[in-house]
Amino acid sequence: MIRFGTGGWRAIIGDEFTRENVRLLAQGLADRMHAEGVVERGLVISYDRRFLSDVAAWWAIEVLAGNDVPVTVITRPVPTPMCMWTVQQKGSAYGIAVTASHNPALYNGLKIFTEGGRDAELEVTDELSAHVATLEAADVRSVPPHEVRASEFVTEQASINWYLDAIIAQLDLETIRHAHLSIVLDPMFGVSQTSLQTILVSARCQVEVINARHDPLFGGRMPSPAEGSLAPLRQAVLDQGADLGIATDGDADRLGIIDDRGDYLSPNQVLVLLYEYLLAEKGWTGPVVRNLSTTHLLDRVAAAHGETCHEVPVGFKWISAKMAETDAVIGGESSGGLTVRGHIPGKDGIQAAGLLVEMVARSGKKLSQLYAELVDRHGALVMEEAAYGYTPARREELQRRLFVEHELPAFERGIDRISWEDGCKVYFTDDAWLTIRFSGTEPVIRVFSEAGTAAAAQELSRTVAEHFGLG
């Protein structure tokens, strides 16, 4: 059974991520393209450095070509955002990125993109899953592996220059060149090295790279740029006296930052800094979009500039849609993804990193100083995140208690309102909040909380964990 979550279809290699399932999914997508009458517009496919990613891409291409679907395949591991950008630029009907993003090494999967390079809507993936469930191996039409590269329906693309040039054109390279920044890059054994190093060296930055070799096991860690995974980057920044460290996840659509003091800068902090930079320094105008588990400090920045912050459910497709609807300046999520108006309608760690470097260069200040000044202006909010695994029986129990019976613990602060639109979100009267929801990509229940201090945020999270016996 192929099940799509908020970040595409991800499954354990050899369990559900198999040649048969990849071929069935490709056949289902080919059938959909024929039914929609968009076959002539074709499809773009890319892959990352995970085990079997390149091989699985060709499994899918064999089927797509066998169904007369024109395919442009990017024949080197590249950032997932490049696939989205290529779909947008070529006017393709669909795109596929073979990746499991930041998941552990035993996972792989496929992300599906629709017209304009957007993450596929829930309606699309639900319909695709339902159709694939009706297919059998005998329904799959394909070109033999030894003939697929010669197929008239397959175009191979090796260059990444168009994507990089599009990002470079958005940056103030002249200002960055004269800032003489020292940067440590950690691609986490993923696909960002060539792209980010090219951009940063073009801007005359001094760049050191760690964790760059091809390692499908990701050094034994999850390729996720969360604080707990960035000790090597922190040490490299401190050892070299660098201005900042930049890490990207396995497919480079998300980033994590280490500042000049060796402190981790969360995605929430990066998002708030960039939004205010675009408004105050670059003179942009417009709202911001965040999901329900992302910092409310964005709301404060928006209000201070006479703008609005829009809240949407978890899943970047909701952010992209609301950005298009409201002409928002920037949109992002606490898990590390963001995008800026005028780029692709999806998260891009490469472009976000370039913009952050421009911000530091233009300010003439240290990154740590920039965030301290932002807190002085708007106050502090601190987020706590926890994830808890469960057995099938526990999931059924939690689903019933939380989302059917709407059971919640007794909190020691006033509640303004409660939303059950996407999981549960409790808005407190003192600007604190808390969310509880099942992950759309991993078998965990996530609890996010935010308050004026770390201790207060931790207390909110602990109250939920103790009440429901999580841990």
Side-chain angles (χ1 to χ4, degrees):
M1 178 67 177
I2 293 175
R3 305 175 186 87
F4 283 85
T6 53
W9 169 54
R10 301 174 192 176
I12 294 175
I13 297 168
D15 182 3
E16 292 184 347
F17 187 86
T18 61
R19 178 175 181 269
E20 179 180 1
N21 278 344
V22 170
R23 285 166 58 85
L24 286 170
L25 184 52
Q27 183 63 54
L29 188 54
D31 291 345
R32 184 179 181 89
M33 293 179 70
H34 279 285
E36 293 176 339
V38 297
V39 171
E40 69 282 353
R41 291 172 52 199
L43 177 147
V44 176
I45 189 164
S46 72
Y47 52 86
D48 65 5
R49 298 174 86 179
R50 282 180 178 269
F51 179 64
L52 285 182
S53 284
D54 55 343
V55 176
W58 284 100
W59 290 341
I61 294 165
E62 291 163 15
V63 174
L64 293 163
N67 285 268
D68 298 343
V69 175
V71 180
T72 296
V73 54
I74 303 171
T75 55
R76 59 193 290 183
V78 297
T80 290
M82 182 182 169
C83 181
M84 304 175 77
W85 186 87
T86 306
V87 170
Q88 181 189 72
Q89 293 299 307
K90 291 178 67 68
S92 301
Y94 285 92
I96 297 174
V98 183
T99 178
S101 190
H102 62 284
N103 280 57
L106 73 163
Y107 283 81
N108 212 327
L110 274 68
K111 291 182 178 180
I112 306 294
F113 308 115
T114 55
E115 180 179 10
R118 299 179 182 280
D119 292 287
E121 299 283 349
L122 184 62
E123 179 183 2
V124 172
T125 54
D126 281 352
E127 291 175 357
L128 186 57
S129 294
H131 176 60
V132 171
T134 69
L135 299 177
E136 298 179 355
D139 298 317
V140 177
R141 300 181 294 277
S142 65
V143 173
H146 63 281
E147 297 179 6
V148 66
R149 289 181 182 270
S151 169
E152 63 179 304
F153 295 104
V154 177
T155 301
E156 298 187 38
Q157 175 186 318
S159 176
I160 64 173
N161 289 334
W162 300 294
Y163 166 69
L164 296 184
D165 289 344
I167 293 176
I168 288 172
Q170 300 170 31
L171 301 175
D172 182 359
L173 253 62
E174 189 65 19
T175 295
I176 302 174
R177 286 182 180 128
H178 292 289
H180 308 293
L181 297 176
S182 172
I183 298 170
V184 182
L185 170 63
D186 182 0
M188 305 194 81
F189 307 102
V191 294
S192 71
Q193 179 188 2
T194 299
S195 298
L196 264 180
Q197 197 166 15
T198 298
I199 293 169
L200 296 174
V201 170
S202 296
R204 307 293 193 271
C205 296
Q206 178 182 329
V207 181
E208 297 293 333
V209 185
I210 64 172
N211 298 328
R213 72 181 186 276
H214 185 193
D215 179 3
L217 297 179
F218 302 107
R221 295 175 292 147
M222 283 181 60
S224 173
E227 183 174 11
S229 301
L230 298 185
L233 180 60
R234 173 182 290 108
Q235 194 59 53
V237 168
L238 293 174
D239 288 347
Q240 298 177 31
D243 293 291
L244 72 155
I246 301 171
T248 52
D249 69 336
D251 68 333
D253 65 353
R254 309 190 323 172
L255 82 167
I257 299 295
I258 299 295
D259 72 12
D260 52 286
R261 300 188 307 184
D263 292 333
Y264 174 70
L265 208 64
S266 74
N268 281 317
Q269 294 168 305
V270 172
L271 187 56
V272 173
L273 277 169
L274 289 180
Y275 182 45
E276 182 150 88
Y277 170 64
L278 292 171
L279 294 178
E281 299 299 327
K282 302 203 77 168
W284 291 24
T285 59
V288 61
V289 180
R290 59 164 176 77
N291 72 20
L292 58 85
S293 296
T294 298
T295 181
H296 284 206
L297 195 52
L298 283 168
D299 303 56
R300 295 183 183 179
V301 173
H305 291 272
E307 301 290 355
T308 302
C309 182
H310 297 283
E311 182 176 276
V312 297
V314 172
F316 212 87
K317 53 182 169 281
W318 302 112
I319 291 173
S320 300
K322 183 59 75 169
M323 286 185 69
E325 175 191 330
T326 63
D327 196 30
V329 168
I330 193 170
E333 55 189 12
S334 60
S335 59
L338 67 89
T339 193
V340 173
R341 186 169 64 202
H343 191 47
I344 59 173
K347 51 194 174 186
D348 188 343
I350 306 297
Q351 190 241 13
L355 189 59
L356 188 77
V357 169
E358 177 191 293
M359 179 192 73
V360 173
R362 185 164 177 166
S363 72
K365 301 175 181 178
K366 297 295 187 181
L367 187 54
S368 57
Q369 182 182 353
L370 288 173
Y371 190 74
E373 291 176 353
L374 184 143
V375 171
D376 286 343
R377 290 190 296 273
H378 303 293
L381 284 173
V382 183
M383 182 181 290
E384 174 78 7
E385 176 184 353
Y388 305 96
Y390 47 72
T391 63
R394 274 292 276 157
R395 174 175 176 126
E396 183 178 343
E397 175 201 345
L398 291 168
Q399 175 71 32
R400 172 182 54 78
R401 291 173 66 186
L402 270 165
F403 305 121
V404 176
E405 299 173 359
H406 290 177
E407 176 186 337
L408 287 174
F411 296 104
E412 295 182 357
R413 63 182 68 212
I415 294 176
D416 178 57
R417 60 191 174 94
I418 301 173
S419 170
W420 301 94
E421 178 185 5
D422 181 18
C424 170
K425 181 163 185 177
V426 183
Y427 302 80
F428 298 99
T429 54
D430 60 358
D431 212 19
W433 57 267
L434 175 131
T435 63
I436 313 169
R437 63 185 303 278
F438 288 107
S439 170
T441 56
E442 300 169 74
V444 296
I445 188 166
R446 297 191 185 280
V447 180
F448 288 80
S449 55
E450 186 175 62
T453 65
Q458 290 164 6
E459 176 60 27
L460 286 172
S461 181
R462 186 164 50 249
T463 298
V464 172
E466 291 176 352
H467 180 83
F468 289 105
L470 303 175

